[in-house]
Amino acid sequence: MGELKLAQGGGKSERERVRWLGHEILPHEQDVRAWLRRSLVTSNDVDDVIQESYCRLANLKAVEQIESPRAYFFQTARSVVLEQMRRARIVRIDAVTEIDALRIEWDEPSPERIAGGRKELERVMKIVATLPERSRRIFEMRRVLGLSQKEIARQLGVSENVVENEAARGLKAVLAGLAKADANVAPSSTGERRA
Amino acid sequence: MSREASTEIDAAAANWAARLDANVISASDQAALDDWLAGDSRREGALWRARAVMALMVEPMPQTQTHRAPAKPDRRVLLGGMGLAAAVAAGVVLTPILSRQRYRTLVGEIRRVPLADGSMAAINTDTTLDIRFQKAERAVILDQGEAWFQVAKDRARPFVVAAGDVRVQAVGTAFSVRRKSGGAEVRVTEGVVEVWSDKGAGKMRRRVAAGEQVFVSDQAGASSPVKRPLEMDRALSWREGQIVLDGDTIGAAAAEFNRYNNRKIVIVDPDLEGRTVVGWFRTNEPESFAQAVGVAHDASVKVGADVIMLGGAG
């Protein structure tokens, strides 16, 4: 922690870590959230654990040796929860038993999850499609044409600030959308085992 | 207990991620960011997550792993053995291929890819593109579909696109090639290109300048280039995922949407086909187009799972 270097564009290793998080961790966030939701009280707690887990995963010295990022994500989230419980003075008894009972769905990802990154990207793009026109256009110009925010501002005839704000607004909507329970996934604990 | 809500953290993280994406971090920004991060480790986690999502949203073609043929061996230098055997089978003999790549886009997919020489290709829906960069020539094979190229200057190594028998050669310029039956359509957005066909009568080369478009037939070669500077942007708006219609017939417009979507527009009422439309749509929203036509021409619109029916008994 605290060693994050955020200079212009970021260093190569930083960009690689961002990529790794996006491609190897993010696709499993839904499942980790669903798993946490079954044992934790509020969605706020779930968000806390997710944020804390990302912080730890991002600060790992090396990630290349991690064979199953999915399993690693589950384990990290689990240890975050256990630590929080240890710190808390009052712990719901059932929470403790639950977190143990809920051990480990990570070795059986649902068939959809195997498609992994691509599926997640589709999910992201679906949310992007619901954004207001201007926001959508900015992300499209970034992605399809590879234009920078600065170039986009020039092409659209608006200030760079406008583009940045619009991008931030769109990103917020996507982050919030990704945190929501997927309507297609049944909230029961057997939800992922449908054949 | 005034613990910051995680949703607030996410919102602030999104602001920082957008600022980082803008690439304009001042010293005071950096100080503010450091302060913010120091307050709570959840913030750092939220920022990493926001940046990971942002990267997914703006990466040129993040799903490449699924269709790009060889995932890693970008640079395949043929030194013999299997490599050479494969090259002989492919009809490429004794020319070491420095960089080889195959791209295939699905219906509706539009992808922008940087090429090994610094050039850029925007690949339109349902297209197959083979990139074979060699020492003396940068060869690109367009088996089907359409692509636009911004070519990096390299006088020693011409950039040649082959679409069927049609050839388009550039040194440093930007142009698009669309494979059609019996030939290819070429639009030049910058500089000059030379076009010809590899078949008999078409071998005579013809120069096509910026703002011009030309149809090159496999058999007969290039027809006269037509100056269409204003049409150029419109015809290439697919690069931004858009279809711009300006007095096009409904029949032609529907065919254009059908290039991008598996859900096809079917015009039931033949009277409708020849009428014209003006509008600005997204390639993947044939419904909006159909609805617009329905309103403008008082036609019925039936949106089904596989087809959108325009006109006919309401």
Side-chain angles (χ1 to χ4, degrees):
Chain A
M1 268 185 291
E3 289 170 80
L4 195 60
K5 290 271 185 313
L6 294 166
Q8 310 281 336
K12 183 159 174 278
S13 61
E14 187 188 314
R15 257 179 287 130
E16 272 164 15
R17 188 57 60 94
V18 165
R19 235 185 101 75
W20 181 76
L21 290 170
H23 288 260
E24 302 296 338
I25 294 300
L26 191 71
H28 308 294
E29 187 183 306
Q30 272 260 290
D31 289 352
V32 173
R33 278 181 187 274
W35 176 65
L36 288 170
R37 237 177 255 127
R38 277 174 236 137
S39 52
L40 298 172
V41 197
T42 67
S43 61
N44 234 347
D45 294 340
V46 174
D47 287 337
D48 281 359
V49 174
I50 292 290
Q51 287 170 346
E52 198 68 60
S53 302
Y54 268 90
C55 184
R56 292 186 190 186
L57 292 166
N59 283 289
L60 290 171
K61 280 231 160 56
V63 295
E64 297 74 29
Q65 84 289 358
I66 296 177
E67 250 172 57
S68 166
R70 178 184 169 85
Y72 208 90
F73 192 6
F74 270 95
Q75 269 164 345
T76 305
R78 186 166 186 272
S79 75
V80 169
V81 171
L82 290 175
E83 260 173 55
Q84 284 184 350
M85 283 180 170
R86 248 175 259 132
R87 256 182 281 141
R89 263 181 245 156
I90 305 161
V91 177
R92 284 173 47 198
I93 297 291
D94 56 341
V96 182
T97 50
E98 288 266 283
I99 204 82
D100 273 324
L102 283 170
R103 205 176 313 160
I104 297 343
E105 283 160 20
W106 64 60
D107 41 23
E108 26 183 329
S110 55
E112 309 94 84
R113 289 292 161 201
I114 296 171
R118 186 170 173 96
K119 191 93 185 158
E120 193 62 15
L121 182 75
E122 275 167 20
R123 219 171 141 234
V124 169
M125 288 310 163
K126 250 186 213 150
I127 306 175
V128 170
T130 67
L131 297 177
E133 172 66 24
R134 195 151 77 167
S135 223
R136 234 174 16 174
R137 211 170 135 65
I138 286 170
F139 284 115
E140 227 163 60
M141 290 171 91
R142 277 292 274 111
R143 188 170 57 89
V144 180
L145 296 178
L147 298 178
S148 67
Q149 285 191 24
K150 192 174 181 168
E151 290 164 326
I152 292 170
R154 211 186 42 213
Q155 284 216 2
L156 296 180
V158 298
S159 77
E160 288 170 44
N161 249 329
V162 167
V163 172
E164 187 188 310
N165 282 337
E166 204 64 47
R169 196 179 315 168
L171 181 57
K172 270 172 223 172
V174 174
L175 290 175
L178 289 177
K180 259 192 229 143
D182 195 333
N184 301 327
V185 177
S188 76
S189 57
T190 53
E192 285 166 33
R193 311 222 170 130
R194 282 164 298 156
Chain B
M1 214 169 89
S2 65
R3 194 168 147 86
E4 184 180 18
S6 39
T7 44
E8 283 169 42
I9 294 180
D10 271 338
N15 288 338
W16 279 115
R19 168 69 48 92
L20 289 165
D21 181 62
N23 231 347
V24 282
I25 296 288
S26 67
S28 64
D29 281 340
Q30 183 71 58
L33 178 56
D34 290 345
D35 269 1
W36 182 70
L37 287 173
D40 188 329
S41 58
R42 290 179 300 159
R43 293 176 178 168
E44 187 187 330
L47 180 57
W48 282 105
R49 176 170 174 265
R51 296 182 70 198
V53 173
M54 186 75 167
L56 278 188
M57 289 166 77
V58 305
E59 257 172 26
M61 23 61 190
Q63 28 355 16
T64 48
Q65 294 92 330
T66 29
H67 331 296
R68 196 198 276 184
K72 205 73 212 229
D74 268 2
R75 259 151 228 282
R76 191 187 296 169
V77 182
L78 301 177
L79 296 169
M82 288 301 286
L84 186 57
V88 172
V92 189
V93 194
L94 296 176
T95 20
I97 295 176
L98 302 175
S99 166
R100 184 174 189 158
Q101 194 76 262
R102 187 178 177 83
Y103 296 101
R104 167 106 193 87
T105 54
L106 305 175
V107 170
E109 187 181 5
I110 297 165
R111 207 193 299 164
R112 178 184 159 280
V113 294
L115 305 181
D117 65 333
S119 298
M120 182 69 69
I123 309 173
N124 204 353
T125 175
D126 198 14
T127 298
T128 311
L129 203 63
D130 259 306
I131 312 284
R132 292 179 192 170
F133 286 175
Q134 299 160 10
K135 244 195 166 139
E137 186 184 90
R138 292 172 285 173
V140 174
I141 295 145
L142 178 75
D143 288 332
Q144 67 167 52
E146 180 175 14
W148 171 82
F149 305 94
Q150 181 141 40
V151 179
K153 279 205 170 59
D154 185 350
R155 294 218 162 265
R157 275 204 309 167
F159 188 100
V160 182
V161 178
D165 293 314
V166 173
R167 301 286 179 273
V168 185
Q169 176 174 332
V171 178
T173 180
F175 62 97
S176 76
V177 181
R178 177 172 173 190
R179 181 71 192 151
K180 293 192 153 180
S181 72
E185 200 163 51
V186 178
R187 290 189 173 86
V188 182
T189 46
E190 275 171 45
V192 179
V193 303
E194 276 190 333
V195 299
W196 70 96
S197 164
D198 238 11
K199 277 232 175 85
K203 284 209 164 130
M204 203 186 73
R205 296 185 175 213
R206 191 152 212 159
R207 291 172 80 82
V208 188
E212 292 181 337
Q213 69 179 60
V214 66
F215 182 79
V216 189
S217 136
D218 286 333
Q219 301 295 337
S223 54
S224 299
V226 188
K227 264 222 167 308
R228 288 271 170 76
L230 295 176
E231 251 211 13
M232 211 59 75
D233 274 352
R234 195 161 82 78
L236 294 175
S237 54
W238 58 264
R239 289 175 296 167
E240 295 173 46
Q242 294 166 347
I243 292 176
V244 182
L245 303 172
D246 184 8
D248 301 71
T249 64
I250 293 176
E256 190 64 12
F257 276 99
N258 289 346
R259 285 178 72 194
Y260 297 93
N261 298 287
N262 288 320
R263 194 198 297 178
K264 305 295 182 197
I265 299 176
V266 177
I267 302 173
V268 182
D269 177 2
D271 284 351
L272 219 46
E273 276 192 46
R275 297 200 214 158
T276 59
V277 271
V278 174
W280 190 17
F281 301 93
R282 303 170 51 72
T283 51
N284 60 356
E285 289 177 0
E287 302 92 337
S288 337
F289 165 75
Q291 302 294 359
V293 169
V295 171
H297 295 275
D298 198 24
S300 72
V301 178
K302 266 189 273 176
V303 180
D306 305 317
V307 288
I308 300 172
M309 312 255 262
L310 252 179

